[in-house]
Amino acid sequence: MYTTIVLNVDELWLKGKNRPHYFSAMKKHLKFLFKNLHEAPVTIRNEQQRLVARSEVAFGEEIIDALKKVPGLSSFSPVVSVALDQEAILPAVEKELKKMGLEKKTFKVQSKRINKRFSTPSMELNRFVAGHVLRNFEHFKVDVHKPDFYIDIKVMPNSIYISTQTIKCPGGLPVGTSGRLVTMISGGFDSPVASYMMSKRGASQDFIFFYAYPYVGEEVKEKILDMCKVLSCFQNGCRLYVVPFGEVQNHISKVCREEYRTLLFRKYMIDIANLLADRNGAQAILTGDALGQVSSQTIDNMSALDKSSDRLIMRPLVGFNKLEIIETARKIGTHDISIIPHDDACSLFAPKHPIIRPQLKYWDAFLAENDVNELLTKALDDAEVYKFNNVGEIKFHNVE
């Protein structure tokens, strides 16, 4: 186990003079993560545009798993730290390699001499370490083109870091640096993947789920809670609002033309999301829409919904194929939750032939003649609220 982890940031090199703001957001996220999962104090320092986390107690596997989900990190490496002495590198490398067992593998040594006062050039250091490994570990061979693993050596101002593993992270920007969204979440594949995509772009999110009780059962809500436990690991704290929507659907289905039901359900969901955004200070609405996937996601229907929304509607999956979305769902851990069967009230109320090119004359007239603001506000007022921390734990649940 390791007491030092080197954390590599992703796009912050693009940020110029604004870089400290992004590093501050990243450190804030990491600070809460370590606080939730690590028993001992952790220091986080910026060393040559890398963050280095240290503790007196070794970091556990929970920390390693959680760091893989932190947006803004491109990768991280658990490292062994030794003194600024070339000879001190070898025992540390030996110790790391002995953990790998006797399986035949290829390796490459890559050194980076950030501390230019260190007298041994990088290439010479590579040969020095590789020669020692070849003499002492017969089952390891050099492959400079496609090695099984790297022996990574970073010569820093005050110490040398040695690692044999680099663990990939989502990349992108730290959460909280790109504004705040209200994410319309459902139990399918799309909206969880859309949430992940915007987490990578640094957007803080609160989730809103439209719960069509009594037309659906309790198991749907449990499924959404499980989904948000996964998605909250890509956030730095978030809330889920479970909005009772059955009464709204029942009302709309009685007063509109049948073919417009699905589109109007969607319109009033967006209206409630905008009401929540007013209260939470969010700047945009996020959905999992993909162009042409279902009837409500035609260009004409998306256009009608956009025109009636108070805020920008972000659709990061608009050009994605379904298989691409499912592949990403597997990668982020939401796939197995999405495939759990559940009741769908939209299907219950769904028309036989949903509208794909709404007539603006009817659309505008219906919205003008049917004021449901009071009904929508009441639905949001009656929402159940769950708060999650950044490791997927529910910290409180109440009714606002």
Side-chain angles (χ1 to χ4, degrees), residues 329-370:
R330 284 197 178 95
K331 186 176 99 177
I332 65 175
T334 58
H335 173 274
D336 290 353
I337 302 172
S338 293
I339 61 175
I340 297 172
H342 68 274
D343 297 328
D344 184 357
C346 287
S347 298
L348 180 68
F349 288 100
K352 288 184 180 177
H353 303 289
I355 193 76
I356 57 173
R357 292 190 184 88
Q359 297 173 6
L360 290 182
K361 184 177 179 182
Y362 172 77
W363 178 259
D364 292 339
F366 181 89
L367 298 184
E369 295 168 5
N370 291 273

Side-chain angles (χ1 to χ4, degrees), residues 263 289 291 296-309 313 315 356 358 360 363:
L263 189 59
D289 293 350
L291 183 61
S296 64
Q297 295 169 18
T298 64
I299 286 180
D300 295 285
N301 283 343
M302 287 184 186
S303 177
L305 294 171
D306 284 353
K307 287 175 183 174
S308 64
S309 174
I313 300 175
R315 299 179 174 93
I356 57 173
L360 290 182
W363 178 259

Side-chain angles (χ1 to χ4, degrees), residues 84 92 136 154 169 171 176 223 253-254 289 294 316 320 326 336 368:
L84 282 171
N136 291 278
K154 285 187 174 61
C169 299
K223 180 176 177 176
S253 63
K254 289 178 179 175
D289 293 350
V294 294
F320 275 50
I326 291 173
D336 290 353

Side-chain angles (χ1 to χ4, degrees), residues 25-38 44 62-71 73 170 174-176 199 204-205 207 227-239 386-396:
M26 177 59 71
K27 288 175 74 173
K28 181 180 177 183
H29 190 152
L30 293 169
K31 179 182 171 185
F32 283 115
L33 187 146
F34 286 124
K35 183 179 178 182
N36 287 326
L37 291 177
H38 196 59
I44 304 172
E62 274 190 312
I63 292 285
I64 300 300
D65 287 341
L67 287 172
K68 295 175 187 175
K69 300 169 185 171
V70 175
L73 291 180
V175 167
S199 291
S204 295
Q205 298 171 45
F207 299 95
M227 190 71 79
C228 286
K229 287 177 184 175
V230 175
L231 296 175
S232 62
C233 295
F234 299 101
Q235 288 284 302
N236 192 21
C238 60
R239 294 180 188 230
Y386 297 81
K387 184 176 181 181
F388 299 81
N389 64 13
N390 60 10
V391 294
E393 298 170 335
I394 296 176
K395 301 310 291 183
F396 77 72

